[in-house]
Amino acid sequence: MCLNKKNKNLSLSTDLATMLSDGEAKELLSFLTLEMRADVKGQATGYILGLTGNRDGCRYLRSKPDFLKALVTLTRDPSITIVKDCYHALINLSADETLHQPLVKETDLLAILFQNLLDPEYMFADRICTILSNLSRHERTCRDVFSALQEQKIGLDKVVEIFCTEGFNKKASLHYLGPLLSNLTQLPEARHFILDKDRCVIQRLLPYTQYEESSTRRGGVVGTLRNCCFDYTHHEWLLSDAVDILPYLILPLAGPEELSEEENEGLPVDLQYLPEDKKREDDPDIRKMLLETLMLLTATKVGRQIMKNKNVYPIMREFHKWEKDPHVISACEKLIQVLIGDEPEAGMENLMEVEIPKDVEEKLKELDTKEQEQMEKDKQESEKQLKESPEGLER
């Protein structure tokens, strides 16, 4: 198999996988070694990178674990260009869920990734964070990632420490550690660590709900907090002065609107008399997650009482007037209904423990699906109208 320029360009074809005979695949694999001449090795890794650029190529490599092992091995190559191509290929592969198990079971990828993540001088640490974030999206492989953390004697505490240490790696931002933490907290073991009252982990994460430099980092932390709030036994502690989670969830949703003196006095101190230039979170997905987290905190009677006593409603009222995204508006309206509504009847105070009859549950799901479809339809119609509006003409 000749790795000339023509063949390298062919690697971008969606039909490439069918072009490689067993003999060609074997020959190509022989070029993917640390000992191979740099120019030949570089063309070979570029060829594989082209394969990972489309679904068929990724699925082809799924059946070729030796190629996956070779890519992982070459992340130790002395050539920066080759290492960069290998990491790029691994990012593409890890974006495909069907590759997750082969990557973590057939190679020593996780051990190498965590080892390099700990190196404050490692220039490809951001790519590592992206791969780990991809691999941990779904529960099965998320457990493999979490187990590897323990086996490597690193632990979640070290990941949190790196995440919270500004400038830990001068060559990488490490923002994608945020989504990694969010993904890991789909596991009860990870939530237990984050919510450990003796570790003060969640208190370290709270300031990042307003981290202006990166929506990826902000969103990762908000996702982590949302997942942790599914454990309702911790709600009272989270809302207490020991953690004081409420201002960190509400402040990104609060705007510059002037509230009455009475409304301001009822709010937590950090939310009172906000400046005229106060801006809200600009990412609708993060705004929705913040609202969902607040909604989870209303699941228990004590949570609802605290949020009502802290006068959350006026902030949500003004937010509802401002919000334009239909999905976020829907989430806000559900929260407002709880904040201004009557308490559930006796025996139903904990909304997470209420058993819903199957027929009612199916009906609610059907209504929710219809609501989502209508919101999507309204959104498309609104976008269509905006496109049709003449430029510069006020509507």
Side-chain angles (χ1 to χ4, degrees), residues 239-304:
L239 290 163
S240 72
D241 291 340
V243 180
D244 198 23
I245 193 174
L246 210 51
Y248 295 97
L249 298 175
I250 296 178
L251 198 54
L253 301 173
E257 294 84 8
E258 189 174 337
L259 302 178
S260 69
E261 189 170 337
E262 183 181 354
E263 288 174 334
N264 267 305
E265 292 299 327
L267 288 165
V269 175
D270 292 338
L271 297 168
Q272 293 179 6
Y273 303 101
L274 297 176
E276 293 180 1
D277 60 351
K278 171 67 175 69
K279 293 182 179 179
R280 291 183 169 93
E281 168 60 55
D282 59 8
D283 188 315
D285 291 330
I286 296 179
R287 295 198 300 271
K288 186 168 180 283
M289 282 195 292
L290 287 163
L291 290 165
E292 290 167 348
T293 308
L294 290 166
M295 189 68 182
L296 286 168
L297 289 169
T298 67
T300 58
K301 184 175 182 178
V302 66
R304 291 190 294 276

Side-chain angles (χ1 to χ4, degrees), residues 109 156 211:
L109 174 64
L156 200 50
Y211 187 82

Side-chain angles (χ1 to χ4, degrees), residues 34-45 77 79 82:
L34 291 168
E35 298 76 25
M36 180 54 62
R37 215 174 67 208
D39 58 335
V40 176
K41 187 168 34 181
Q43 287 194 58
T45 53
D77 197 84
S79 166
I82 289 172

Side-chain angles (χ1 to χ4, degrees), residues 83-101:
V83 174
K84 184 178 179 180
D85 278 355
C86 288
Y87 273 119
H88 193 169
L90 289 167
I91 288 173
N92 290 345
L93 291 168
S94 66
D96 186 331
E97 185 189 351
T98 66
L99 267 294
H100 287 184
Q101 284 299 301

Side-chain angles (χ1 to χ4, degrees), residues 2-226:
C2 178
L3 282 173
N4 55 29
K5 188 174 181 182
K6 182 179 178 182
N7 278 340
K8 190 175 179 183
N9 288 337
L10 277 173
S11 68
L12 300 177
S13 167
T14 56
D15 296 325
L16 175 65
T18 61
M19 297 179 189
L20 286 176
S21 66
D22 289 344
E24 289 173 326
K26 187 175 181 180
E27 186 179 5
L28 177 60
L29 185 63
S30 70
F31 301 146
L32 298 169
T33 65
L34 291 168
E35 298 76 25
M36 180 54 62
R37 215 174 67 208
D39 58 335
V40 176
K41 187 168 34 181
Q43 287 194 58
T45 53
Y47 200 85
I48 295 295
L49 176 56
L51 260 182
T52 67
N54 61 77
R55 182 177 176 178
D56 290 340
C58 286
R59 300 297 164 89
Y60 171 76
L61 290 172
R62 181 180 64 188
S63 65
K64 303 289 183 183
D66 287 341
F67 280 102
L68 302 180
K69 292 174 185 175
L71 281 175
V72 173
T73 298
L74 288 176
T75 60
R76 300 195 297 266
D77 197 84
S79 166
I80 291 177
T81 302
I82 289 172
V83 174
K84 184 178 179 180
D85 278 355
C86 288
Y87 273 119
H88 193 169
L90 289 167
I91 288 173
N92 290 345
L93 291 168
S94 66
D96 186 331
E97 185 189 351
T98 66
L99 267 294
H100 287 184
Q101 284 299 301
L103 283 169
V104 302
K105 298 298 187 185
E106 304 285 348
T107 77
D108 56 351
L109 174 64
L110 292 177
I112 289 174
L113 293 183
F114 283 125
Q115 180 184 348
N116 289 331
L117 180 63
L118 296 177
D119 182 357
E121 299 292 325
Y122 197 66
M123 67 185 300
F124 296 106
D126 277 335
R127 288 174 172 81
I128 287 175
C129 294
T130 303
I131 296 167
L132 289 171
S133 175
N134 284 345
L135 290 174
S136 58
R137 286 201 313 264
H138 303 283
E139 185 177 351
R140 185 181 178 190
T141 316
C142 184
R143 288 197 174 279
D144 293 317
V145 173
F146 188 75
S147 296
L149 267 176
Q150 316 305 316
E151 291 165 7
Q152 296 299 311
K153 310 294 185 192
I154 299 169
L156 200 50
D157 53 340
K158 187 63 178 178
V159 176
V160 171
E161 181 186 332
I162 292 173
F163 179 77
C164 295
T165 303
E166 195 77 28
F168 173 83
N169 187 323
K170 298 291 191 296
K171 300 175 182 178
S173 67
L174 307 180
H175 293 325
Y176 271 88
L177 282 181
L180 173 61
L181 286 172
S182 178
N183 292 343
L184 289 172
T185 51
Q186 68 184 290
L187 305 176
E189 307 95 302
R191 293 197 299 273
H192 178 75
F193 172 83
I194 300 287
L195 292 166
D196 189 328
K197 296 178 182 179
D198 297 324
R199 292 182 185 272
C200 291
V201 177
I202 202 159
Q203 291 92 328
R204 296 183 70 183
L205 296 176
L206 289 175
Y208 290 99
T209 63
Q210 298 167 82
Y211 187 82
E212 294 182 0
E213 286 80 358
S214 168
S215 61
T216 300
R217 185 175 284 247
R218 283 198 316 275
V221 167
V222 173
T224 300
L225 298 178
R226 181 186 60 179

